[in-house]
Amino acid sequence: KELAFFLEQKVPQVKFVDRTFNCNKKHAMAIWRYIKAHDNGITNFHFEIGADLLDDEELAILSDMRPGLVQLEIGVQSTNDATIQEVSRTMRLDRLAKAVHTVNVGHNIHQHLDLIAGLPEDTPEGFRRTLDKCLSYGADNITVHTLSLKKGSRILLENFTIPSAEAVGEMLDYANAALRQADFRPYYLYRQKYMSGSFENVGWSRPGGECWYNVDIMSELCSILSFGAGGSTKMVEPGTNHIERVFNLKYPKEYTER
């Protein structure tokens, strides 16, 4: 029902904020089939996925989408085995590389990779290897985040050892030089509380690969409607600086029963 509404209204972009949208293949395929069958030629759908979970059937339907119908965001974070293990993640890098390459061959989907500088057990050398691998994958867009030390996170509660501010600075300096050399340019920047070394998050893109949702949400120049538990809608009054926010109920049970 909500997808039909977005398509009927020709909403420019719909972003699914599930961090691993395709962890349930049946669910992902149902939505991908629906938006493909009801494509209005305008609306773009943005999905955050686990690329190493994609199988041949999923890659086949993605490769058959209209150019611009879908864009994919992939949270790589790090390719350092020690780091991945320390933060309790699992990732099959060979499958991730295959998936990104297969999607690239189709030339119909922009791909956006996310990295984090300053994770536990990482080093400037390890971060360089991660970034170099991501550049070799051929993504259109790479965001380099700086680790944000969230209250209540295991990193703080269990007193993980993390890279120094100087080491994080080295990582970001390397990213700046390497990405510019690869013809990426920064197109959005933002900071959060408690960031390691008081650095920032920077989105880098090749020409034409920008994720405009990132620009819109940071600049607060357009309205963003949120559907789902815990979401917040931001309505911008044209021609003014007035922004009105509406918050959804926090818990899924309350939200679905409202």
Side-chain angles (χ1 to χ4, degrees), residues 98-119:
K98 175 191 172 184
V100 175
H101 172 72
T102 301
V103 172
N104 278 343
V105 169
H107 300 292
N108 63 325
I109 294 176
H110 283 309
Q111 294 188 89
H112 175 166
L113 305 184
D114 287 328
L115 307 181
I116 298 178
L119 287 169

Side-chain angles (χ1 to χ4, degrees), residues 90-148:
T90 58
M91 184 164 48
R92 294 163 289 185
L93 292 175
D94 56 336
R95 293 193 58 170
L96 184 149
K98 175 191 172 184
V100 175
H101 172 72
T102 301
V103 172
N104 278 343
V105 169
H107 300 292
N108 63 325
I109 294 176
H110 283 309
Q111 294 188 89
H112 175 166
L113 305 184
D114 287 328
L115 307 181
I116 298 178
L119 287 169
E121 300 297 328
D122 210 356
T123 63
E125 294 74 22
F127 181 82
R128 289 187 193 110
R129 289 193 296 271
T130 291
L131 180 57
D132 290 347
K133 281 184 181 177
C134 288
L135 286 171
S136 75
Y137 296 157
D140 305 287
N141 187 312
I142 295 177
T143 296
V144 180
H145 298 267
T146 300
L147 178 67
S148 180

Side-chain angles (χ1 to χ4, degrees), residues 33-65:
R33 289 188 183 111
Y34 184 88
I35 64 173
K36 182 175 181 291
H38 297 83
D39 181 17
N40 61 16
I42 295 174
T43 303
N44 165 266
F45 291 87
H46 181 110
F47 300 95
E48 297 190 37
I49 66 164
D52 60 324
L53 300 178
L54 293 173
D55 62 18
D56 290 342
E57 184 182 18
E58 291 168 297
L59 288 168
I61 192 171
L62 289 170
S63 68
D64 198 36
M65 297 285 191

Side-chain angles (χ1 to χ4, degrees), residues 34-220:
Y34 184 88
I35 64 173
K36 182 175 181 291
H38 297 83
D39 181 17
N40 61 16
I42 295 174
T43 303
N44 165 266
F45 291 87
H46 181 110
F47 300 95
E48 297 190 37
I49 66 164
D52 60 324
L53 300 178
L54 293 173
D55 62 18
D56 290 342
E57 184 182 18
E58 291 168 297
L59 288 168
I61 192 171
L62 289 170
S63 68
D64 198 36
M65 297 285 191
R66 167 183 62 83
L69 174 59
V70 165
Q71 62 190 39
L72 302 177
E73 182 172 350
I74 301 164
V76 178
Q77 320 308 6
S78 175
T79 61
N80 181 347
D81 288 337
T83 297
I84 292 171
Q85 183 175 356
E86 187 72 358
V87 298
S88 302
R89 286 175 64 92
T90 58
M91 184 164 48
R92 294 163 289 185
L93 292 175
D94 56 336
R95 293 193 58 170
L96 184 149
K98 175 191 172 184
V100 175
H101 172 72
T102 301
V103 172
N104 278 343
V105 169
H107 300 292
N108 63 325
I109 294 176
H110 283 309
Q111 294 188 89
H112 175 166
L113 305 184
D114 287 328
L115 307 181
I116 298 178
L119 287 169
E121 300 297 328
D122 210 356
T123 63
E125 294 74 22
F127 181 82
R128 289 187 193 110
R129 289 193 296 271
T130 291
L131 180 57
D132 290 347
K133 281 184 181 177
C134 288
L135 286 171
S136 75
Y137 296 157
D140 305 287
N141 187 312
I142 295 177
T143 296
V144 180
H145 298 267
T146 300
L147 178 67
S148 180
L149 301 169
K150 303 290 189 183
K151 292 181 179 180
S153 67
R154 286 182 57 228
I155 290 176
L156 290 182
L157 294 177
E158 300 178 23
N159 198 28
F160 284 20
T161 299
I162 60 174
S164 65
E166 292 75 15
V168 175
E170 285 186 50
M171 299 175 189
L172 299 179
D173 286 344
Y174 179 78
N176 180 68
L179 287 162
R180 288 183 185 277
Q181 187 174 5
D183 198 30
F184 283 75
R185 294 294 179 267
Y187 74 99
Y188 83 103
L189 176 152
Y190 69 102
R191 300 183 70 189
Q192 298 169 277
K193 293 181 179 179
Y194 316 118
M195 297 187 74
S196 187
S198 296
F199 290 109
E200 62 284 315
N201 305 320
V202 181
W204 296 80
S205 174
R206 289 194 170 105
E210 298 85 357
C211 177
W212 288 107
Y213 171 85
N214 292 332
V215 176
D216 291 339
I217 196 169
M218 294 302 158
S219 59
E220 298 193 321

